[in-house]
């Protein structure tokens, strides 16, 4: 632990372990600004400057999955255990969730802000401490929702379902492959509930009538994580195709996104989903990070500059909702700078003053799980080399 601190991470890993403990104890605390927590319906995106369309290369086909396959693979999980080696919150499942735009209705707080958040914190606490009670708590939350919830509807349904189930599926994957107490009955109930109640939201036709943005990146991540857990290669390919469709529409070459003009909260939501799908894919041997000359890295730097107090020349409009959210920043920096050696000065500056990451909806805890992990681990066998675009930065 002292080695990480002396290496310049004094605001990183050690503080992350402390924040994890405090978050578990608080249980219901939330890092998201109140105005952003309910996920208002996205307005039409600002008109984007035309650019020549280049045919995207075909996405690689995944025929089998490596487990545990989350934002952490087996190597990162073992590293986390080694680093830390040196509270129970009862779930509140609802039989019916009905959530309209702006979070009006019932279920947002229970499914997303409370149980969707706590389930992943408990799963990570199990990895960090080896105390089985944390794993049991996480499994119980998954079991409770799978057993009790029968209805999940509303205008905000696809987004809310994606937010909560991304955390639950990620937690289930970690528990299944690291905890001896994981029970097949919990898995069966969870997958049955997902197919009956949650998946119709993730495949809702309403998503086709919204501008491509943070809703779609969240849904893509939920699909990708569920696909890995289920062993469903077709669903994984669908999630990656969704990701590519969104990023090509959502991000400009300069890094501006179609929600930047809306506010920085929702822009970070969108970027966080893109980052976390890219990391899920990376753990399965697929490189999305280099897509379109590493456009995702450009977008992170663009929005980090704004959050750091700068104004990119493209932003000739008022900037709203400026503030840090833990939406994939640590995961992305660990990849682009840690694995590929790319220069990410604005992202580094942002994290230096914002660590440790908390947890919001389905993003966060990256300081604990990813900060410096690329430097601590040898390159994975067969990992793609840094592309020319990364070497130019």
């Amino acid at each position: 632990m002292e080695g990480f601190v002396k290496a310049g991470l004094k605001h990183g890993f050690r503080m992350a372990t402390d924040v994890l403990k405090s978050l578990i104890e608080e249980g219901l605390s939330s890092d998201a600004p109140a105005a952003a927590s309910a996920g208002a319906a996205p307005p039409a995106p600002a008109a984007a400057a035309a650019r020549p369309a280049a045919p995207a290369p075909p996405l690689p086909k995944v025929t089998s999955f490596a487990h545990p396959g989350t934002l952490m693979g087996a190597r990162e999980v073992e590293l986390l255990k080694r680093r830390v080696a040196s509270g129970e919150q009862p779930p509140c499942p609802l039989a019916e969730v009905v959530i309209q735009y702006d979070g009006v209705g019932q279920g947002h707080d229970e499914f997303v802000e409370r149980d969707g958040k706590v389930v992943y914190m408990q799963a990570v606490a199990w990895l960090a401490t080896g105390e089985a009670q944390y794993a049991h708590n996480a499994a119980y939350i998954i079991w409770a929702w799978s057993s009790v919830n029968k209805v999940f509807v509303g205008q905000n349904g696809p987004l809310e379902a994606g937010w909560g189930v991304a955390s639950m599926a990620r937690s289930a994957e970690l528990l299944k492959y690291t905890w001896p107490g994981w029970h097949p009955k919990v898995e069966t109930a969870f997958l049955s509930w997902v197919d009956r109640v949650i998946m119709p939201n993730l495949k809702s036709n309403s998503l086709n009538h919204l501008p491509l943005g943070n809703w779609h990146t969240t849904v893509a991540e939920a699909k990708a994580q569920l696909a890995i857990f289920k062993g469903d290669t077709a669903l994984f390919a669908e999630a990656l195709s969704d990701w590519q469709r969104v990023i090509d529409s959502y991000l400009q070459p300069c890094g501006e996104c179609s929600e930047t003009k809306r506010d920085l909260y929702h822009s970070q939501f969108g970027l966080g989903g893109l980052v976390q799908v890219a990391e899920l894919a990376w753990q399965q041997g697929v490189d999305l990070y280099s897509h379109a000359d590493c456009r995702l890295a450009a977008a992170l730097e663009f929005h980090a500059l704004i959050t750091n107090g700068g104004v990119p020349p493209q932003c000739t409009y008022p900037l709203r909702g400026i503030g840090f959210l833990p939406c994939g920043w640590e995961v992305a920096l660990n990849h682009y700078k840690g694995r590929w050696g790319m220069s990410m000065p604005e992202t580094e500056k942002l994290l230096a003053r914002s660590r440790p990451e908390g947890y919001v909806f389905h993003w966060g805890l990256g300081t604990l799980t990813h900060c410096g992990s690329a430097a601590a681990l040898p390159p994975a066998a067969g990992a793609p080399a840094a592309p020319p675009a990364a070497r130019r930065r």
Side-chain angles (χ1 to χ4, degrees):
M1 188 77 73
E2 290 298 328
F4 291 124
V5 176
K6 292 179 181 178
L9 300 179
K10 64 180 179 179
H11 297 298
F13 187 74
R14 173 174 284 177
M15 288 182 66
T17 60
D18 293 338
V19 82
L20 176 65
K21 293 175 184 176
S22 66
L23 285 170
I24 292 169
E25 291 169 359
E26 292 170 11
L28 295 178
S29 64
S30 173
D31 298 281
S37 65
R51 62 178 185 274
L59 292 168
K61 291 185 178 179
V62 173
T63 57
S64 61
F65 295 108
H67 299 287
T70 69
L71 303 179
M72 294 182 284
R75 298 162 73 246
E76 288 82 3
V77 166
E78 290 305 313
L79 176 64
L80 174 63
K81 290 178 181 178
R82 292 199 305 270
R83 283 175 158 182
V84 179
S86 21
E88 183 174 1
Q89 181 70 43
C92 46
L94 300 177
E96 296 188 6
V97 172
V98 182
I99 312 175
Q100 309 303 343
Y101 290 141
D102 296 319
V104 175
Q106 65 176 9
H108 171 81
D109 288 344
E110 294 85 352
F111 187 61
V112 178
E113 298 277 9
R114 180 167 170 171
D115 287 348
K117 177 177 178 177
V118 171
V119 68
Y120 184 59
M121 294 194 301
Q122 294 284 322
V124 172
W126 146 248
L127 296 177
T129 67
E131 295 183 20
Q133 185 61 52
Y134 291 126
H136 182 272
N137 294 345
Y140 184 53
I141 291 171
I142 294 168
W143 169 261
W145 276 92
S146 302
S147 303
V148 173
N149 180 239
K150 309 299 182 187
V151 175
F152 203 114
V153 295
Q155 294 166 318
N156 241 40
L159 180 61
E160 304 277 349
W163 279 339
V165 86
S167 289
M168 289 191 180
R170 189 188 311 147
S171 302
E173 172 78 5
L174 288 171
L175 294 177
K176 179 177 178 179
Y177 294 98
T178 66
W179 179 44
W182 178 254
H183 201 289
K185 287 186 177 179
V186 176
E187 182 172 343
T188 299
F190 176 62
L191 292 178
S192 175
W193 170 66
V194 165
D195 288 343
R196 289 181 291 104
V197 180
I198 298 299
M199 195 59 72
N201 283 280
L202 302 183
K203 292 178 175 284
S204 171
N205 187 53
S206 66
L207 291 164
N208 297 323
H209 301 288
L210 296 172
L212 294 172
N214 75 85
W215 283 48
H216 303 82
T217 69
T218 285
V219 168
E221 183 185 343
K223 285 181 179 178
Q225 187 64 80
L226 284 166
I228 294 168
F229 186 65
K230 295 171 67 174
D232 188 336
T233 57
L235 182 61
F236 191 71
E238 180 181 316
L240 268 54
S241 178
D242 289 349
W243 183 95
Q244 188 172 54
R245 183 167 58 96
V246 174
I247 197 171
D248 288 343
S249 171
Y250 193 54
L251 301 185
Q252 300 298 311
C254 66
E256 184 182 22
C257 82
S258 56
E259 291 187 288
T260 308
K261 189 173 183 179
R262 180 186 186 187
D263 60 56
L264 266 290
Y265 296 146
H266 292 88
S267 300
Q268 288 180 83
F269 287 179
L271 293 174
L274 292 173
V275 167
Q276 293 189 172
V277 173
E279 185 64 21
L280 285 171
W282 180 267
Q283 295 292 344
Q284 300 302 326
V286 178
D287 172 24
L288 298 182
Y289 280 113
S290 64
H291 180 78
D293 290 334
C294 299
R295 187 169 297 174
L296 182 54
L300 292 161
E301 283 291 280
F302 186 96
H303 291 84
L305 171 63
I306 297 173
T307 310
N308 289 333
V311 180
Q314 294 83 0
C315 296
T316 58
Y317 42 81
L319 293 168
R320 302 179 176 89
I322 299 175
F324 175 81
L325 291 173
C327 296
W329 295 104
E330 290 278 20
V331 174
L333 183 65
N334 184 63
H335 178 81
Y336 283 120
K337 183 171 185 187
R339 292 176 182 143
W340 283 356
M342 290 177 62
S343 175
M344 300 283 286
E346 293 295 337
T347 302
E348 285 193 89
K349 180 180 177 182
L350 175 62
L351 282 169
R353 65 182 181 84
S354 303
R355 286 184 175 119
E357 285 188 344
Y359 197 71
V360 174
F361 298 175
H362 62 112
W363 310 283
L365 294 189
T367 307
L368 179 66
T369 61
H370 287 77
C371 182
S373 70
L377 292 169
R391 294 192 289 270
R392 289 195 299 269
R393 288 183 65 89

